[in-house]
Amino acid sequence: MIEPIILNVATEFSITPDARLKENGKSSAEQFREGVLERKFLLAKKNKTTLIVNLDGAAGYGTSFLEESFGGLARKYSTDAVLKTLQFISNDEPYLVEDIERYIEEANLEFA
Amino acid sequence: MKKFYSQAKYKRQSVRERNKFLRKGNRKKKYLYSSHPNPTQNKNRSLPSNKHYRIKVPDVFSMTKNPIEMVDFLNRLRIAFINKPGVYVDLSKTKQITADAVTVLVSHLRDGRINLGKPYLGNNPEDLKLKHQFAESGFYKYVRSNELNYSEKGNIIARHQYKVDDEIAKKLIDFGTEKLFGHYVKQGGTYNVLTELMNNTRDHATGKGKKEYKEKWWASAHYDAEEKKITFTFMDNGVGIFNSRELSARNYVFKLLGLSTNIDLLKKMLNRELPSSTEFPYRGRGIPSINANLKRQQIKNLVIISNDVFANVDTDNFFILKNPLNGTFFSWEIHK
């Protein structure tokens, strides 16, 4: 059985994630998703294992950052694929896990 | 025959008498701070000009406790800069000051669209305790001053920026929690609030179709040793929440007919019952997430003032302001 892949946001990306888009901040969700998250996600998917994203250790997370990172991933690779592959650890702020899962589920919503 | 007053002889006499008057020191220095150096304006900085328009701040100098008079004062300040050659801000008779008002005052005095490059002067509160409090607020970091002994023991005011600045957000939280708890304590709620507000200013504060101008924001943290709390303030002088979004046809008609107000819109935004003002349905989560931070008790006493709405979301006190605020103001607290 292949070991799950771990991604620690604070140590592998930034302890102060900020904006949604690259043009708006130094540690944006777009940079995180394109530079770190996507690579590990695809590796986990290829190896049929889980990607465990550890959110602890950062100063905090903006809603826009989380939505663009994980919702953006779901818009590119589908909600099912992302929910099947990703798991989250968030002992500092446990409610973030539920929030992120909701962002992933609603990522491909259209206006009524 | 030439009139007397235009003769060179009169002019020389006038200059002599004026210099004599100034040497006597009859005009005492009554100002303690002035505008940031602007070489095109007010070359004689040693004395206040008698053309400066004196504008008195409200007795209760606080956005959260006295929003109506404060917003009125800010609007009068704007008008004074438009109509007068300079402004003198009079804090001498103030009876109460809160840090949020100081942050807002700095944001207005340092905004070129408001001061129009004109000089401004001002004084301290006469009350010693308030004078000390004002000096500790960090105000003097942003104006020229004769007061050399100011400190920032109680507060910092971050530099204005027009991006989402993660370092400033962390710096404010570091400062606040060091004061309150004696060491850094993670404040995920406040970090979310700060970064979301910065994002919103960046994306929405200039209004529709004016993306070439980047709106600035101001943020501060103030430590209150008596009440053992940190108050965070965020301010931008943009178009305000309700002027930054287009209404749906239904909401527009309701508003036109007086069946709904901006208070109703704000309540819907807080509960994510209004779609995003962008074209993307998955957006519009910023203000609802701030409300969620409040419901989780990660922040307390959340106050929002924007356009014609005052809202203390914590106490469910919402009302319409007769004179609207040009911009967006948020204030919240963390307690020990």
Side-chain angles (χ1 to χ4, degrees):
Chain A
M1 185 172 151
I2 299 171
E3 289 286 313
I5 298 171
I6 311 282
L7 165 51
N8 188 311
V9 180
T11 56
E12 295 180 53
F13 178 66
S14 172
I15 61 164
T16 52
D18 51 34
R20 179 186 284 273
L21 304 175
K22 284 179 203 167
E23 67 205 33
N24 291 358
K26 295 196 305 287
S27 311
S28 69
E30 272 188 334
Q31 282 169 288
F32 170 65
R33 191 185 66 236
E34 291 167 9
V36 181
L37 177 62
E38 225 171 289
R39 183 171 42 84
K40 288 206 166 183
F41 168 76
L42 291 171
L43 185 61
K45 209 160 153 274
K46 182 183 169 189
N47 294 336
K48 292 187 172 51
T49 184
T50 304
L51 172 59
I52 299 175
V53 180
N54 189 338
L55 300 165
D56 290 337
Y61 295 91
T63 302
S64 301
F65 178 90
L66 294 173
E67 201 291 323
E68 185 62 36
S69 299
F70 302 103
L73 193 70
R75 281 187 283 281
K76 192 167 178 182
Y77 295 103
S78 91
T79 297
D80 286 342
V82 171
L83 282 174
K84 217 168 147 184
T85 310
L86 259 55
Q87 280 181 18
F88 297 94
I89 295 173
S90 182
N91 297 315
D92 291 349
E93 298 175 87
Y95 59 87
L96 286 181
V97 177
E98 196 183 309
D99 284 351
I100 292 170
E101 287 172 353
R102 191 171 61 249
Y103 302 154
I104 295 169
E105 283 161 6
E106 295 176 2
N108 293 301
L109 279 182
E110 291 174 4
F111 276 124
Chain B
M1 188 173 111
K2 263 181 163 180
K3 285 185 184 172
F4 174 71
Y5 296 106
S6 61
Q7 289 176 352
K9 182 180 168 184
Y10 173 80
K11 284 180 183 171
R12 283 197 298 273
Q13 183 184 349
S14 172
V15 168
R16 272 200 302 273
E17 283 187 10
R18 188 186 75 206
N19 288 339
K20 190 174 159 188
F21 176 77
L22 292 176
R23 275 196 301 272
K24 277 186 182 173
N26 284 330
R27 294 181 73 182
K28 294 176 188 171
K29 279 187 184 176
K30 286 181 184 172
Y31 76 99
L32 289 172
Y33 53 84
S34 65
S35 47
H36 212 62
N38 184 342
T40 63
Q41 300 289 337
N42 195 13
K43 289 174 187 171
N44 179 13
R45 291 188 184 283
S46 61
L47 289 165
S49 159
N50 58 7
K51 292 179 188 168
H52 277 69
Y53 176 76
R54 184 178 282 258
I55 181 167
K56 186 175 164 300
V57 308
D59 288 349
V60 178
F61 192 53
S62 170
M63 291 290 284
T64 51
K65 295 180 181 179
N66 190 16
I68 296 172
E69 287 189 25
M70 276 299 300
V71 171
D72 181 60
F73 158 72
L74 294 170
N75 289 332
R76 283 189 292 116
L77 184 68
R78 283 178 183 255
I79 292 168
F81 274 120
I82 292 169
N83 292 332
K84 304 294 179 184
V87 168
Y88 186 93
V89 180
D90 183 4
L91 279 115
S92 60
K93 306 295 179 201
T94 317
K95 294 183 171 60
Q96 188 180 0
I97 294 177
T98 57
D100 51 71
V102 178
T103 307
V104 169
L105 180 62
V106 171
S107 77
H108 277 60
L109 291 177
R110 290 297 305 270
D111 190 331
R113 295 167 305 170
I114 295 174
N115 66 38
L116 303 175
K118 292 179 181 177
Y120 52 86
L121 305 170
N123 57 17
N124 265 333
E126 283 173 356
D127 179 276
L128 278 177
K129 189 180 171 190
L130 290 178
K131 181 181 173 182
H132 187 64
Q133 189 185 337
F134 189 64
E136 282 188 340
S137 69
F139 177 80
Y140 288 112
K141 191 173 156 188
Y142 293 93
V143 296
R144 288 178 67 205
S145 172
N146 297 332
E147 287 283 305
L148 299 178
N149 295 323
Y150 63 86
S151 65
E152 287 182 34
K153 277 192 277 185
N155 186 9
I156 58 172
I157 298 179
R159 294 179 288 122
H160 60 268
Q161 281 288 356
Y162 51 84
K163 281 195 169 188
V164 180
D165 196 317
D166 50 340
E167 286 175 10
I168 285 182
K170 181 134 191 324
K171 187 179 173 189
L172 288 170
I173 293 171
D174 282 349
F175 170 84
T177 54
E178 283 285 343
K179 288 284 182 192
L180 192 59
F181 301 108
H183 55 91
Y184 168 74
V185 174
K186 179 170 177 171
Q187 298 295 321
T190 289
Y191 191 85
N192 173 59
V193 176
L194 282 168
T195 52
E196 285 304 305
L197 292 177
M198 293 175 195
N199 258 312
N200 281 353
T201 298
R202 178 71 174 79
D203 290 344
H204 306 300
T206 25
K208 301 174 280 295
K210 292 183 185 174
K211 296 299 176 199
E212 66 281 358
Y213 177 78
K214 304 286 189 291
E215 190 62 48
K216 298 179 183 67
W217 50 258
W218 292 80
S220 70
H222 177 258
Y223 172 58
D224 187 331
E226 278 176 23
E227 295 194 35
K228 293 197 175 18
K229 67 179 183 184
I230 299 287
T231 304
F232 291 90
T233 304
F234 185 94
M235 176 79 200
D236 74 51
N237 296 323
V239 298
I241 294 172
F242 305 100
N243 290 340
S244 69
R245 54 181 300 131
E246 278 180 19
L247 295 174
S248 66
R250 181 170 177 266
N251 283 326
Y252 179 76
V253 168
F254 272 30
K255 212 173 159 196
L256 206 59
L257 295 174
L259 297 175
S260 80
T261 64
N262 283 334
I263 289 176
D264 302 307
L265 292 178
L266 179 60
K267 287 183 177 178
K268 284 185 179 179
M269 286 172 76
L270 288 163
N271 295 319
R272 205 170 177 244
E273 290 165 8
L274 269 190
S276 168
S277 59
T278 67
E279 57 188 285
F280 306 111
Y282 50 83
R283 292 186 61 170
R285 298 181 189 272
I287 288 182
S289 74
I290 294 172
N291 194 26
N293 293 136
L294 180 68
K295 285 180 178 167
R296 279 188 217 110
Q297 297 282 291
Q298 290 171 295
I299 61 173
K300 293 187 193 311
N301 208 22
L302 173 65
V303 172
I304 303 171
I305 306 175
S306 189
N307 302 120
D308 64 350
V309 173
F310 170 90
N312 185 324
V313 186
D314 209 354
T315 60
D316 199 27
N317 179 20
F318 291 70
F319 58 83
I320 292 288
L321 293 165
K322 226 184 203 177
N323 291 323
L325 175 71
N326 294 297
T328 301
F329 167 90
F330 273 71
S331 167
W332 66 98
E333 295 166 2
I334 55 174
H335 296 190
K336 198 164 185 179

